[in-house]
Amino acid sequence: MPADSATRKFGPPRACRPARGRTESHHLLAALRRAGPPYRQTVGEIAAAVPLSQGGLTMQADRLAESGLIERERDERDRRIVRLRLTAAGQDLARRVADARAAGEWDMLAGLPPAEQRQLEALLGSLGQSLTNTDPNKLTDPDEGAIDPNKAAAPKN
């Protein structure tokens, strides 16, 4: 397996790791990038979009700010509101990480015939649309009934 292929499958290349190679940092950078220009969101908006606790989010924001990848901005009307904004360096890193992950995804799909790639793309698109339109409070488990979205699922034996 070529080195480029291996690094794509196992994570972003070293050049994309100034955020100390932490997946949590990449989640935060990706959330800000998805927000679009000016690449800024409140801490609460980011917390709802990434798999991090409030404390974990604060710790990653501190690291990214120290690295010059994000800046904190206080709302002028309500100083309690803090927004995180990607700097130019943060935008560049977020783009490179997204590009590296996309390349890795394409590498994984390369083993499938083109017809199956198209079928998978259609199925994943349908799943994404379904998840977007699903009320998490109305999820059900066919074996056990309603699912409480605020509780972690217990492993089945």
Side-chain angles (χ1 to χ4, degrees):
M1 173 182 315
D4 286 346
S5 182
T7 53
R8 283 190 202 122
K9 288 182 182 180
F10 298 109
R14 240 180 248 292
C16 295
R17 295 186 179 171
R20 299 186 184 167
R22 298 180 185 275
T23 300
E24 298 87 355
S25 295
H26 298 158
H27 285 303
L28 198 159
L29 291 170
L32 289 169
R33 184 173 188 261
R34 283 190 303 270
Y39 306 106
R40 178 177 60 198
Q41 287 188 309
T42 66
V43 172
E45 290 168 335
I46 296 168
V50 298
L52 293 172
S53 67
Q54 190 74 32
L57 177 59
T58 299
M59 185 172 63
Q60 294 308 318
D62 289 345
R63 288 183 175 148
L64 293 170
E66 287 172 19
S67 299
L69 298 171
I70 67 168
E71 291 180 345
R72 285 186 169 91
E73 299 174 341
R74 293 247 179 225
D75 187 282
E76 291 181 15
R77 287 176 276 167
D78 186 344
R79 302 288 294 157
R80 295 171 296 176
I81 298 174
V82 177
R83 288 184 177 78
L84 303 179
R85 184 183 56 79
L86 284 177
T87 62
Q91 291 173 39
D92 181 58
L93 177 62
R95 180 193 48 77
R96 287 187 290 142
V97 169
D99 290 350
R101 288 190 173 171
E105 291 166 5
W106 281 110
D107 279 355
M108 288 187 286
L109 294 176
L112 295 175
E116 289 181 10
Q117 289 179 18
R118 288 189 297 276
Q119 184 180 17
L120 180 59
E121 180 181 16
L123 290 169
L124 291 175
S126 295
L127 176 62
Q129 191 62 36
S130 175
L131 293 174
T132 300
N133 296 325
T134 300
D135 180 350
N137 295 312
K138 295 183 180 176
L139 295 175
T140 59
D141 180 324
D143 298 327
E144 302 187 21
I147 297 172
D148 183 345
N150 298 313
K151 293 184 181 173
K156 291 185 179 183
N157 294 328

